[in-house]
Amino acid sequence: MRYLANHIACFKQQHKPTLPNTLAHKKAKEVNNYWAPGCKAKMAEICKLLTADPKLQPSNMTKEEKELVIKELENHHKQKLTGARVSNCAAMIDYLHTVQHAQQLYNGLEYQMGIIGFGLFSCTHATNTAIPTFVESKQALDFITDQFDTTLPELSNEFELWACTKGAKPGDRLHELQKECARMIADGLNTALGWPNGQMNYKNYDLANRQCYGIHPRGWPKGVDFKAPSRITHIKEIHSLYNSLKLKECVWAPMSEAEISKLTDSIKEKPVKTWKTQSDQGKTHKKSRKHVRNENQENEDPNANTASKPPKT
């Protein structure tokens, strides 16, 4: 009983795709591709067909083929998370199931750990038919009504209005994508460093960021030059960078000791920029006439001119 109370949790991280799972998924796509729901082969039948297929045996596959199969399953998972639904009905069912699952997680937090909270859900487009809703645990939304003197329907409507205007993701405009990419890069840098004062220096990146902080972004999209998002003027390149940052494919990661030593050696090998010295360095310079005139005016007695003037009658 003590083991169950201390070691079992309802929150589990998803493991990465394994080779047996990827092979079973590939075989299921081949077998059930043209079958209607209810007529598709079951997993036991798929496993039998998989063992009888010599092409999908791990011993007969090269390392590149195994990596390609795993990559296909990862892309399939990403498409299920970010891809559009077939119809509005399917999207609404997915929305309701997700909200119900979130409500169960909130209840689990309350029952197991004594933590309460609330969450608001709304669409991000005016033509979306999803109804704003909320989840809570142990009447946590009473905090809103007690402290801010508003009702839950008013709060839901205001949140929907905000989400459809300011909370929406940037469109296809270049400057919006540039701002969003710059914001995500800065937020990722501050999160990796652990303080909100990290600054991105693209001109002196190796010295000011990599050597100073010891981190650099991994997963920068191929075909996109590493420079400030405001200087990326091609719409396809900025879209590629935005998607990589949004899907967490491009993240800040610490550098290894080998990378740091290699960077230090490359910085030492760079020629030091020397400034030209003036030809009259160390010599005294003559003061200009304007400077001498100003000094003479400051040294003059301010009452000298007023005393020579006759008094007014």
Side-chain angles (χ1 to χ4, degrees):
M1 189 67 183
R2 183 181 300 174
Y3 178 82
L4 293 176
N6 295 333
H7 294 79
I8 300 298
C10 61
F11 307 101
K12 296 182 180 179
Q13 294 183 353
Q14 295 181 354
H15 60 80
K16 293 183 178 180
T18 59
L19 185 59
N21 292 339
T22 54
L23 295 177
H25 176 262
K26 185 176 180 62
K27 193 63 180 179
K29 287 182 65 177
E30 294 178 359
V31 175
N32 297 327
N33 192 16
Y34 300 102
W35 289 96
C39 302
K40 296 183 178 181
K42 297 182 180 180
M43 183 55 64
E45 300 174 357
I46 294 172
C47 291
K48 291 181 180 180
L49 295 174
L50 181 61
T51 54
D53 192 350
K55 295 181 180 179
L56 296 180
Q57 299 302 319
S59 59
N60 299 333
M61 299 175 65
T62 61
K63 184 179 179 181
E64 290 76 11
E65 291 176 347
K66 294 178 182 178
E67 293 178 354
L68 181 61
V69 172
I70 294 175
K71 189 66 176 178
E72 289 178 357
L73 183 57
E74 291 177 351
N75 294 335
H76 176 71
H77 289 167
K78 289 181 181 179
Q79 186 177 4
K80 288 184 66 177
L81 290 175
T82 60
R85 298 299 179 259
V86 178
S87 61
N88 293 335
C89 182
M92 186 59 64
I93 292 174
D94 193 7
Y95 169 60
L96 294 177
H97 280 294
T98 304
V99 172
Q100 291 176 1
H101 181 62
Q103 183 64 60
Q104 294 176 0
L105 294 179
Y106 274 82
N107 294 336
L109 283 173
E110 178 190 352
Y111 296 148
Q112 292 185 342
M113 288 163 273
I115 298 174
I116 64 173
F118 59 87
L120 299 175
F121 299 91
S122 173
C123 58
T124 57
H125 199 275
T127 59
N128 198 330
T129 57
I131 301 173
T133 185
F134 52 86
V135 294
E136 61 173 336
S137 57
K138 203 174 181 179
Q139 299 179 353
L141 280 173
D142 291 345
F143 169 76
I144 301 294
T145 57
D146 295 342
Q147 298 295 326
F148 298 100
D149 193 18
T150 183
T151 61
L152 295 181
E154 292 177 355
L155 179 65
S156 300
N157 293 333
E158 292 178 0
F159 181 68
E160 182 184 13
L161 180 62
W162 176 86
C164 292
T165 54
K166 296 183 179 180
K169 66 179 183 179
D172 293 334
R173 295 184 178 181
L174 181 63
H175 68 279
E176 293 180 357
L177 292 171
Q178 289 174 343
K179 290 182 180 179
E180 190 66 17
C181 289
R183 183 193 63 80
M184 287 191 287
I185 291 173
D187 291 346
L189 176 62
N190 294 331
T191 303
L193 295 176
W195 69 78
N197 297 326
Q199 295 182 357
M200 192 66 189
N201 190 343
Y202 291 94
K203 292 183 178 180
N204 198 12
Y205 170 69
D206 289 337
L207 185 61
N209 289 102
R210 296 182 68 192
Q211 190 181 32
C212 181
Y213 300 141
I215 58 176
H216 64 158
R218 296 187 186 273
W220 192 271
K222 296 181 179 180
V224 181
D225 296 335
F226 185 79
K227 54 185 176 181
S230 59
R231 299 185 61 188
I232 301 176
T233 57
H234 201 281
I235 191 66
K236 290 185 178 180
E237 293 181 357
I238 198 67
H239 261 297
S240 178
L241 179 60
Y242 174 79
N243 294 331
S244 299
L245 294 170
K246 195 70 175 178
L247 297 176
K248 304 298 182 181
E249 295 178 353
C250 179
V251 294
W252 288 92
M255 299 172 60
S256 62
E257 295 182 358
E259 291 175 341
I260 294 175
S261 61
K262 184 179 179 180
L263 175 64
T264 305
D265 296 339
S266 63
I267 292 175
K268 290 180 180 179
E269 292 176 357
K270 288 184 179 180
V272 180
K273 186 176 181 180
T274 57
W275 298 93
K276 293 182 179 180
T277 57
Q278 295 182 355
S279 59
D280 56 350
Q281 185 178 7
K283 298 180 181 179
T284 57
H285 300 274
K286 294 182 179 180
K287 296 182 180 180
S288 61
R289 294 181 179 179
K290 184 177 180 181
H291 185 69
V292 173
R293 192 184 308 116
N294 293 335
E295 287 184 351
N296 294 334
Q297 291 178 357
E298 291 177 358
N299 295 330
E300 289 179 355
D301 187 5
N303 298 324
N305 296 332
T306 57
S308 60
K309 292 182 180 180
K312 293 183 179 180
T313 57

